[in-house]
Amino acid sequence: AQNPAKNAGLRPGDCICSVIKTAVHTAAELAEMIEQNGQKPLSLGYRRDGEEHTVSLCPIPCDEDGRLRTGLFVRDSGAT
C-alpha cells in the first residue's frame, strides 16, 4: 500500500505544526485542511527533535471509500 507520509520522509513522533504555512492545533483542523486541499501537493511544517522542517506531501484517494489519505496517524498533542 502507498504511504504518502512515509514516502515524504515523515516519521512517527513528528509533530505537524502547519499546513501550507497555516498553523494547525488539532487533528480535526489538519484533516479539514487536507480535505479542502484535495489531491494537490501540500506543504507540511513539522517539528522533529526540536528542529522545524518542511515537507511536500500529496494525499491519495483510498480504494475503499474514496476519502483522501496521507498515511499520517494523527493525535492531538494532549492525547496520551
Side-chain angles (χ1 to χ4, degrees):
Q2 292 186 13
N3 184 325
K6 185 176 180 180
N7 294 344
L10 290 168
R11 292 190 248 164
D14 289 346
C15 178
I16 306 297
C17 42
S18 67
V19 176
I20 316 172
K21 299 189 183 200
T22 301
V24 291
H25 305 286
T26 66
E29 284 179 352
L30 177 60
E32 184 177 330
M33 293 173 100
I34 290 167
E35 284 293 324
Q36 288 176 353
N37 189 69
Q39 284 184 259
K40 300 181 299 238
L42 49 93
S43 173
L44 295 179
Y46 68 98
R47 206 168 23 259
R48 177 186 298 157
D49 299 328
E51 294 182 20
E52 294 196 11
H53 306 275
T54 304
V55 69
S56 180
L57 183 145
C58 190
I60 57 173
C62 178
D63 291 338
E64 295 173 17
D65 60 13
R67 294 190 63 203
L68 292 175
R69 300 288 186 234
T70 59
L72 296 169
F73 172 74
V74 180
R75 63 186 171 110
D76 291 330
S77 59
T80 55

